[in-house]
Amino acid sequence: MIRFVKPTVKDISAMQELVLEDVANGNILVRNESEMATTIRSYTVAYKDEVLVGFVALHIHTPLLAEIRSLVVSSDLRGQGIGQKLISHCINEAKQIDISELLVLTYQAKLFEKFDFKIIEKSTIPDTKIWADCIKCKHFPICDEVALTLKI
Ligand SMILES: CC(C)(COP(=O)(O)OP(=O)(O)OC[C@H]1O[C@@H](n2cnc3c(N)ncnc32)[C@H](O)[C@@H]1OP(=O)(O)O)[C@@H](O)C(=O)NCCC(=O)NCCS
């Protein structure tokens, strides 16, 4: 049984551990401990028993636009629907605070298309995202991630 809850700052080290491999292979952008603490309320974590097995963040860019980022599921539990449940949590959270559009940059376009996200031109991504985040990415500026948005 998987529980989806808001994390506390005590979860940060387990979250960093979980994402280590995907940060190394460039699937997920590195976030240091302070950045994760500052944004801790944006995350939802998945627990199986007492073990942290996944998480996702809903990062607000503007009153209209938020981004789903840092989605990860423990490699031994992938393909069981946990990732989709984390995405659903983010969409519901965004609806609760009246965000009207969600953005994601990902190599997993098909996963987001299941939720009716549509592929967009990367040139339309807000500058705040590019300069705050993309510039830190090891693939910048030759980025082959796909950008998708969902109107909610
Ligand atoms: C992307 C990721 C979060 C998906 O999590 P997940 O729990 O495996 O996702 P789900 O099980 O909900 O859905 C994955 C889809 O891929 C399929 N799949 C099957 N085996 C799989 C596997 N071993 N790994 C991943 N996906 C698999 C699933 O069947 C499902 O499709 P379906 O519903 O049509 O069957 C996870 O693969 C991951 O952590 N990847 C590395 C980090 C990453 O790329 N994050 C995305 C950043 S936006």
Side-chain angles (χ1 to χ4, degrees):
M1 161 91 162
I2 310 285
R3 289 184 296 125
F4 297 90
V5 292
K6 298 304 280 184
T8 74
V9 288
K10 289 188 177 157
D11 289 305
I12 291 174
S13 54
M15 290 164 80
Q16 286 189 315
E17 180 74 24
L18 183 67
V19 85
L20 219 51
E21 197 182 317
D22 286 292
V23 166
N25 63 27
N27 281 335
I28 292 186
L29 203 58
V30 64
R31 310 262 174 215
N32 67 33
E33 193 185 41
S34 326
E35 187 180 2
M36 289 185 75
T38 306
T39 56
I40 194 71
R41 284 177 290 199
S42 69
Y43 290 91
T44 298
V45 293
Y47 265 95
K48 184 174 187 196
D49 303 321
E50 294 315 306
V51 181
L52 192 142
V53 295
F55 65 88
V56 68
L58 177 72
H59 182 79
I60 300 168
H61 283 285
T62 71
L64 299 177
L65 179 72
E67 180 189 356
I68 294 184
R69 66 187 200 186
S70 303
L71 172 66
V72 67
V73 170
S74 176
S75 52
D76 53 328
L77 291 173
R78 289 180 190 168
Q80 297 180 27
I82 300 171
Q84 287 172 70
K85 288 199 179 118
L86 284 165
I87 296 170
S88 288
H89 269 79
C90 265
I91 296 172
N92 288 337
E93 207 174 7
K95 282 181 181 164
Q96 277 167 22
I97 55 171
D98 279 341
I99 290 286
S100 51
E101 188 168 14
L102 283 173
L103 167 73
V104 66
L105 262 163
T106 184
Y107 296 105
Q108 304 284 341
K110 287 209 161 27
L111 184 57
F112 288 89
E113 282 173 338
K114 285 177 195 281
F115 292 86
D116 221 22
F117 276 77
K118 306 284 185 224
I119 294 177
I120 56 155
E121 275 299 317
K122 273 189 286 189
S123 56
T124 61
I125 295 171
D127 288 354
T128 45
K129 162 76 184 165
I130 307 293
W131 298 114
D133 253 356
C134 298
I135 202 155
K136 289 188 277 186
C137 176
K138 65 182 186 184
H139 300 303
F140 184 79
I142 312 202
C143 165
D144 52 2
E145 282 190 315
V146 177
L148 302 99
T149 57
L150 175 69
K151 306 259 190 237
I152 52 177

